[in-house]
Amino acid sequence: MAFTRTYDGDEPVRVNKWLGQTGVCSRREAESLIAEGFVSIDGEIISDAGRKIEPGQTLTLNDTAQHALASGMTILLHKPVGYVSGQPDPGKIPAVRLLKTPNRVGEGETPARDASLPPIGRLDEDSRGLLLLSSDGVVAKAVIGPASELDKEYLVVVDGHVTEGKLSKLRHGLELNGKALKPARVTQIEPQRLRFILTEGKYRQIRRMCELVGLEVVDLYRVRVGPLLLGDLPEGRWRHLTPAERDALITQAKGEL
């Protein structure tokens, strides 16, 4: 079924920008759909990528456009320690090597060996847990886009004496590279086991935060990204994201939950 949406803004806006803001697709994807003649406004097919939609006008993406947008693949992988998220340096093993049929849980196509599935939010080589790999631009924007409000949850084992003062600093008051970090939710589960919930993801952030308060990370395990849970997916195994999970991810990223 074709997708339709009526623009309820106050001022005219470029179609590609509006589609990107609403999470329907990325700006680049919108431009491609327009060029293919898959987008219409009030029944008129548009061909100009710079076309603006007026308040009260209704935009339609035809069935072909809907199929094209749904064709992006998103994989949820339980990454073990020892694999890198993105393009590896010599001697390193990329996490995409694990995307083989014997490692798949559930139904769905196994991606080709040369498929482009970049990581959506990195997970360090010495960390484990939930890693998303996706060719879906909307999913990427939802997780790592500048307007994303998704939080990420980690279970962290540390070496060192955990005090309330250190926990307070981890929650609020630390800087990295001269810039204040956003507040974090940090709770002590066991004497050496902490739960971190972050809304940002700077390079090796949790490890560097812990170093600043005299703690060393022994194990870092990501268990959640927004509404997506790693659950009981075995280490080294992967599965496809479901349409319902994709919708929940996009909705929560826009702060609508």
Side-chain angles (χ1 to χ4, degrees):
M1 176 179 288
F3 167 90
T4 63
R5 179 170 294 182
T6 300
Y7 176 53
D8 58 1
D10 297 325
E11 300 291 336
V13 64
R14 287 172 61 111
V15 170
N16 61 346
K17 179 179 180 180
W18 180 51
L19 288 173
Q21 289 173 337
T22 55
V24 174
C25 62
S26 69
R27 288 196 190 189
R28 183 172 296 179
E29 287 170 328
E31 290 168 1
S32 177
L33 295 176
I34 291 170
E36 294 286 344
F38 298 156
V39 183
S40 62
I41 294 177
D42 287 348
E44 175 194 351
I45 295 175
I46 63 174
S47 58
D48 179 9
R51 172 71 177 269
K52 292 185 176 182
I53 186 168
E54 304 281 343
Q57 288 186 323
T58 297
L59 179 141
T60 300
L61 302 179
N62 68 16
D63 292 340
T64 305
Q66 284 290 89
H67 178 75
L69 290 176
S71 64
M73 180 182 292
T74 300
I75 301 295
L76 192 156
L77 168 70
H78 186 161
K79 187 190 87 67
V81 170
Y83 290 81
V84 297
S85 298
Q87 286 295 108
D89 294 327
K92 302 294 185 179
I93 308 173
V96 292
R97 294 272 183 88
L98 292 167
L99 304 185
K100 301 176 181 178
T101 301
N103 296 337
R104 187 185 68 212
V105 172
E107 299 299 321
E109 175 187 357
T110 297
R113 184 176 177 84
D114 60 351
S116 177
L117 286 168
I120 308 303
R122 300 178 66 86
L123 194 59
D124 300 325
E125 180 182 5
D126 45 1
S127 300
R128 60 194 180 96
L130 194 162
L131 177 65
L132 291 175
L133 302 159
S134 181
S135 59
D136 186 328
V138 179
V139 168
K141 181 180 177 182
V143 178
I144 59 176
S148 175
E149 298 179 9
L150 290 180
D151 55 16
K152 292 88 176 174
E153 182 175 348
Y154 305 80
L155 301 180
V156 182
V157 177
V158 297
D159 185 23
H161 184 46
V162 179
T163 66
E164 188 56 42
K166 291 180 180 180
L167 291 174
S168 179
K169 287 183 179 179
L170 289 170
R171 292 173 185 135
H172 190 76
L174 294 180
E175 293 184 355
L176 289 179
N177 300 329
K179 293 185 178 181
L181 295 172
K182 293 180 180 178
R185 284 178 279 170
V186 184
T187 53
Q188 187 174 13
I189 304 170
E190 298 172 359
Q192 302 303 132
R193 196 163 181 245
L194 308 177
R195 173 181 283 109
F196 280 73
I197 299 178
L198 306 180
T199 56
E200 59 186 343
K202 298 186 182 300
Y203 175 69
R204 296 178 71 83
Q205 180 172 337
I206 291 177
R207 296 178 187 276
R208 294 162 70 196
M209 289 172 68
C210 287
E211 288 174 2
L212 290 174
V213 299
L215 300 174
E216 180 185 359
V217 172
V218 178
D219 182 46
L220 193 153
Y221 182 41
R222 183 158 66 196
V223 297
R224 180 175 63 84
V225 173
L228 303 181
L229 299 175
L230 183 63
D232 59 0
L233 184 68
E235 189 170 271
R237 306 293 290 276
W238 63 275
R239 65 175 179 82
H240 284 278
L241 208 66
T242 68
E245 287 176 324
R246 181 183 185 274
D247 290 344
L249 191 70
I250 294 167
T251 299
Q252 192 171 115
K254 294 191 293 182
E256 293 182 4
L257 290 184

